[in-house]
Amino acid sequence: MAKIIAFANQKGGVGKTTTAINIGASLAATNNRVLLIDLDPQGNAGTGLGFVRNAHTQSVYPVIMGRESAANNILSTAVKGMHIMPASMQLSGAEVELLDADNREYRLRDALVPIASHYDYILLDCPPALGFLTINALCAAKWLVVPLQCEFFALEGLQQLINSTQKIREKWNPELELLGVLLTMYDRRNNLSRAIEDDVRTAFGDKVFKTVVPRNVRVSEAPSHGQPALFYDFNSPGAQAYLRIATELIGASS
């Protein structure tokens, strides 16, 4: 069965989607079968992999609403071994539609059961808020990865997310575990980056990935070309960092 990993942070702009795309591509490059599910109505995971917004009918929206099967809403990407279940505009209304829905926290978990054996990893890219879409991801996942931008306000929101995760574990998904906190947009020349790294490693110990994602122009450019950094510029520091992170992730989730 697939290892299901949610990438979540209640703060936007922390590199969450970039991380999900590039870890997915790195896992696929090491002969793993990967499905990336875009739960963010902005749909950036799809565009970051070269898909034109609303140019396809497949979407996670009818899956999470219980109207269509997961198998019928999966697209192949240009990355061998990597598939995507994209977002769509309708997903923005899912939060309201799920308010009065039966089994609303487990819609995604249940929908993934028939396809889970087809993949080694299922990666869930969450929206930057703790609504029903993120709750569905955290109820479906075994593991949580928290990308954390090396800025003060990002650090401030980290504890809120950890507290929310604990409540979800107690109420809905006791199997959910923190796989790791991933430091992104790291600048070794910046005292704040180093100070935040020290604080996070002191607080979370070995739950922080050893590898950090450096602030890297090539990683920032890659989504506009519809490619993971690994394919856009394999030798860039960012692409190499994500390869090492994928190796850490494989070890930590095994």
Side-chain angles (χ1 to χ4, degrees):
M1 297 293 286
K3 295 173 181 176
I4 304 179
I5 303 172
F7 293 79
N9 193 317
Q10 291 169 249
K11 186 180 184 302
V14 298
K16 176 177 49 58
T17 298
T18 298
T19 292
I21 289 172
N22 285 291
I23 287 182
S26 298
L27 290 169
T30 52
N31 297 318
N32 288 290
R33 299 165 299 168
V34 179
L35 172 62
L36 173 60
I37 299 179
D38 188 358
L39 289 161
D40 189 340
Q42 296 181 75
N44 291 336
T47 55
L49 285 168
F51 292 94
V52 177
R53 192 85 190 270
N54 298 323
H56 43 74
T57 59
Q58 291 86 352
S59 167
V60 68
Y61 170 75
V63 176
I64 209 164
M65 297 311 300
R67 297 169 189 166
E68 294 183 20
S69 70
N72 289 336
N73 285 277
I74 292 171
L75 298 171
S76 297
T77 75
V79 180
K80 183 181 178 181
M82 185 174 181
H83 294 163
I84 185 170
M85 190 184 297
S88 63
M89 292 296 292
Q90 298 100 308
L91 196 59
S92 59
E95 295 283 358
V96 175
E97 292 182 62
L98 286 169
L99 275 173
D100 298 318
D102 294 332
N103 204 36
R104 60 188 181 184
E105 296 86 9
Y106 299 112
R107 292 296 187 91
L108 182 62
R109 182 199 68 178
D110 294 348
L112 294 180
V113 171
I115 64 166
S117 61
H118 300 169
Y119 296 97
D120 299 302
Y121 292 90
I122 296 177
L123 310 182
L124 311 177
D125 182 25
C126 300
L130 193 67
F132 283 116
L133 293 173
T134 299
I135 289 172
N136 262 266
L138 296 178
C139 287
K142 161 69 174 173
W143 302 104
L144 169 66
V145 171
V146 183
L148 182 73
Q149 185 180 2
C150 293
E151 292 185 356
F152 173 74
F153 289 118
L155 180 61
E156 197 173 50
L158 176 60
Q159 192 57 52
Q160 295 175 1
L161 177 61
I162 298 301
N163 292 342
S164 297
T165 301
Q166 179 60 33
K167 291 176 183 176
I168 288 170
R169 185 185 297 117
E170 292 170 358
K171 191 169 184 179
W172 293 305
N173 183 10
E175 294 187 354
L176 181 65
E177 294 183 39
L178 176 65
L179 183 62
V181 177
L182 176 61
L183 297 169
T184 65
M185 305 179 202
Y186 187 90
D187 187 347
R188 295 188 184 281
R189 301 166 299 177
N190 188 316
N191 289 337
L192 181 59
S193 285
R194 296 197 300 272
I196 287 176
E197 179 181 16
D198 290 343
D199 287 347
V200 174
R201 292 195 187 281
T202 297
F204 292 94
D206 61 3
K207 287 294 185 180
V208 184
F209 284 90
K210 295 182 177 67
T211 306
V212 301
V213 181
R215 191 175 288 278
N216 181 228
V217 172
R218 304 300 273 175
V219 169
S220 300
E221 290 175 346
S224 66
H225 294 268
Q227 295 180 326
L230 190 67
F231 288 72
Y232 182 64
D233 187 348
F234 179 82
N235 293 315
S236 66
Q240 291 298 307
Y242 277 118
L243 280 170
R244 293 193 296 273
I245 291 161
T247 300
E248 288 188 54
L249 182 147
I250 291 169
S253 61
S254 59

